[in-house]
Amino acid sequence: MQLIDGKAIAQKINSESRQTVAWLTAQGHTPGLAVVLVGDDPASRAYVRSKDAMCKELGMYSVKKELPADVSQETLLALVRELNADPAIHGILVQSPPPAHIDERAVVETIDPRKDVDGFHPVNVAKVALGDADAFVPCTPLGCQRLLIESGIETCGAHIVVLGRSMIVGKPLALLLMQKGKGGDATVTVAHSRTRDLAAVCRSADILIAAIGKPQFVRENFVRDGAVVIDVGINRISDPTAKNGSRLVGDVAFDEVAPKCRAITPVPGGVGPMTIAMLMANTITSCKRFAGLA
Ligand code: NDP
């Protein structure tokens, strides 16, 4: 069984990114990312912190904008427009989920699609569906695909079951994997909460990708011998033996499933580090495009 080391693969990608950032900076173009946080959700705050820290580690320019939970929609949109117009900023993301009174869709649609490094703007969603190479692809699906490529796992002709159909993970991932070319050419099945005989559908996969947000949901009977399993899930469960009383687990019951697999990702240390590496890579791509270097 091969343990797919997402942390090591992400480190390799980040070190390439660091070199590209140094080269761009030497030409007078430092990639800049702005992350907007509304409210003080602890998980969102932690994600924003790690994105900011990674930007700094790679030599990028990073702006963290923190707005109170009761900020008005108009103030938030005005900030996004300001960032759209800022030439030092090449990537903008508004950390999800915003408070209930904020219309997230309107926020995403206000981001300049050329700076939409999360790939959530309808223009980029359409480009991914069209197979347009100019698309900003959402970071988690892009990270999953890159993990497969870097781990030497052939997707061409493989049957891949994507468990989950969200706009952040499942749906764009299915589109990527069915595209023509490297990391694509798969036969893709998308399964979700209404899928009949879910375990049997999953068991038919050469590669099973779980993205449902249910701790350790994928059990041994969901996986056929010799399958590859990519676990996107990040779930915090209580664990009285852990230092702070809880720990992170994926959507896959790792201990039970791993012995059957040809390869599997751990949680943490699998898809998670790839997501942030892809965010940095997308921001660098945006900077190159604005500079006319891509
Ligand atoms: P969503 O809640 O948006 O979507 C969950 C999907 O799973 C839905 O399509 C839902 O089906 C499906 N689903 C839920 N329960 C079941 C079930 N019992 N059986 C079958 N399908 C089910 O989640 P996200 O896509 O945003 O996130 C999924 C997981 O990935 C989470 O654990 C999240 O934390 C993690 N994640 C990790 C990232 C990373 O960087 N590693 C980044 C983003 C997310 P239906 O549509 O029918 O309701």
Side-chain angles (χ1 to χ4, degrees):
M1 189 270 291
Q2 174 194 355
L3 189 66
I4 300 174
D5 188 346
K7 207 168 153 192
I9 295 169
Q11 267 167 7
K12 185 187 129 201
I13 294 165
N14 287 334
S15 77
E16 288 163 10
S17 291
R18 197 176 294 111
Q19 287 173 24
T20 310
V21 170
W23 175 77
L24 280 166
T25 299
Q27 324 269 318
H29 306 286
T30 300
L33 176 69
V35 183
V36 181
L37 175 67
V38 183
D40 53 9
D41 173 63
S44 297
R45 192 171 281 279
Y47 286 132
V48 168
R49 240 194 340 259
S50 58
K51 287 166 186 172
D52 182 52
M54 184 58 77
C55 279
K56 294 198 166 111
E57 208 180 305
L58 301 187
M60 291 163 57
Y61 173 58
S62 166
V63 172
K64 213 170 29 160
K65 300 275 188 190
E66 300 190 20
L67 299 174
D70 63 354
V71 71
S72 72
Q73 171 92 4
E74 204 30 64
T75 305
L76 176 57
L77 294 185
L79 173 60
V80 171
R81 288 191 199 100
E82 203 181 289
L83 294 166
N84 281 342
D86 185 342
I89 296 298
H90 308 99
I92 303 169
L93 66 90
V94 179
Q95 187 63 46
S96 197
H101 70 280
I102 298 290
D103 177 357
E104 192 170 8
R105 195 177 163 145
V107 175
V108 168
E109 289 181 8
T110 302
I111 296 174
D112 182 338
R114 296 171 305 166
K115 297 190 177 186
D116 169 43
V117 286
D118 254 346
F120 297 158
H121 191 287
V123 165
N124 285 310
V125 174
K127 283 184 174 178
V128 172
L130 290 165
D132 184 331
D134 279 353
F136 278 120
V137 179
C139 303
T140 301
L142 193 58
C144 290
Q145 186 188 44
R146 188 73 185 267
L147 264 188
L148 292 170
I149 294 171
E150 297 283 335
S151 307
I153 294 160
E154 186 55 82
T155 54
C156 178
H159 180 213
I160 303 185
V161 173
V162 177
L163 184 48
R165 57 175 165 180
S166 75
M167 286 309 297
I168 297 178
V169 190
K171 207 183 272 187
L173 182 54
L175 286 169
L176 277 190
L177 296 169
M178 73 170 85
Q179 270 170 9
K180 288 187 179 174
K182 198 173 172 192
D185 289 324
T187 304
V188 182
T189 299
V190 180
H192 46 76
S193 67
R194 302 302 166 112
T195 299
R196 226 184 319 122
D197 298 331
L198 186 63
V201 170
C202 292
R203 225 171 20 244
S204 69
D206 302 311
I207 302 172
L208 174 63
I209 305 182
I212 57 172
K214 297 270 183 295
Q216 300 170 318
F217 181 88
V218 172
R219 307 292 301 266
E220 175 271 328
N221 62 321
F222 279 58
V223 179
R224 73 161 176 73
D225 284 328
V228 172
V229 173
I230 306 290
D231 189 353
V232 181
I234 301 178
N235 310 288
R236 188 163 285 283
I237 58 164
S238 78
D239 177 358
T241 65
K243 207 166 70 184
N244 60 356
S246 70
R247 69 186 163 98
L248 292 180
V249 296
D251 289 343
V252 176
F254 183 90
D255 292 344
E256 185 175 311
V257 168
K260 295 185 82 174
C261 294
R262 174 155 77 87
I264 186 168
T265 57
V267 176
V271 176
M274 293 299 290
T275 296
I276 192 155
M278 293 298 111
L279 175 65
M280 301 298 128
N282 278 353
T283 306
I284 292 166
T285 299
S286 174
C287 175
K288 279 190 192 160
R289 288 180 186 162
F290 273 98
L293 297 167

